[in-house]
Amino acid sequence: MKSFLFKEIKYYEKIDSTNLEAKRILNKGCSNNNFVVVAKTQTSGIGRFNRKWVSEKGGLWFSLVFPDTDFNSTITIFSSIILHKTILNYFSEAPVAIKWPNDIFWNDKKLAGILSVKSENATIIGLGVNINQKRLPEDLMNTATSVYIETKITMNLKNTLKTFLYFFEKNITEYINEDIMSFRQYYKNYDYLYGKKISISLSEKNFIGQAAGISKRGELMVIIDNEKKYFISADKIDIIG
Ligand code: BTN
């Protein structure tokens, strides 16, 4: 692959977790270049809050690795915008939206999640996208979906990854220069939560209000009792009206 940004794509049939493999490679100290780790299946895929991330064959499981970089937390929002653009590139009418801070939803079901972590002065952005799975585990069927389940179309995973990397590379300079400022309008157009009544759980507290988009720093803005509040993180967000 000719990429200015990513010097290497490391493919694996099966691995515990692409995020963990990225950390191991960084620990060995043998790479100063940005690289991508991608696996057909993960035996111990990791989701947010250390939850298990089911990663069977058919999904796209990969990590972008940037040694010696210190992106701020909006890199997750930037990555979700790029992933959203990638899906729309193939399915221009797809009802896909970005759920703050790190999910892509297809209608009301989760299609993809992102887990960004810092390790050894590096930023690792792990992305999990349900693509060609014909079924998901029973306990996820009500809340998650795949591109195949929605469209009955099988995608070429390598090409999908290349398209994602192409959009990432095309937009990263703008992100580095202006953070998410110039992506806010795009986000607003596809904001899953915007205008909805939501419940936010954070550190065992619960807040109820109306979602009002994201700030220029990437916080979720919520109108609570006629006042705008800014959330930098949340444990769980549910739409309640
Ligand atoms: C979430 O909880 O929504 C985030 C899920 C992130 C899953 C991806 S799959 C590729 C990378 N490797 C992992 O172990 N996790 C991330």
Side-chain angles (χ1 to χ4, degrees), residues 16-20 42 44-48 51 53 55 60-63 102-103 110 112-115 126-128:
D16 49 358
S17 149
T18 57
N19 274 18
L20 293 179
Q42 297 184 121
S44 310
I46 307 163
R48 285 178 82 212
R51 289 190 201 117
W53 180 261
S55 318
L60 187 54
W61 322 123
F62 66 107
S63 301
N102 70 332
D103 293 340
K110 180 159 165 165
I114 303 176
L115 180 65
L127 298 101

Side-chain angles (χ1 to χ4, degrees), residues 210-225:
Q210 189 184 26
I214 56 166
S215 74
K216 53 180 187 248
R217 290 181 301 274
E219 299 133 317
L220 177 68
M221 302 188 294
V222 187
I223 310 292
I224 300 175
D225 298 332

Side-chain angles (χ1 to χ4, degrees), residues 100 184 187-188 191 193-195 210-215 218-223 228-231:
W100 186 89
R184 271 173 88 201
Y187 193 98
K188 194 171 178 189
D191 183 345
L193 299 174
Y194 194 86
Q210 189 184 26
I214 56 166
S215 74
E219 299 133 317
L220 177 68
M221 302 188 294
V222 187
I223 310 292
K228 197 182 269 180
K229 302 274 186 207
Y230 295 79
F231 287 84

Side-chain angles (χ1 to χ4, degrees), residues 74 77-78 81-82 85 170-189 214-218:
T74 54
I77 292 176
F78 172 73
I81 291 170
I82 298 301
K85 279 182 193 279
K170 194 165 168 236
N171 289 280
I172 190 72
T173 310
E174 195 167 343
Y175 169 74
I176 288 168
N177 291 336
E178 298 181 34
D179 208 284
I180 52 163
M181 277 305 282
S182 50
F183 300 97
R184 271 173 88 201
Q185 187 55 46
Y186 185 97
Y187 193 98
K188 194 171 178 189
N189 294 343
I214 56 166
S215 74
K216 53 180 187 248
R217 290 181 301 274

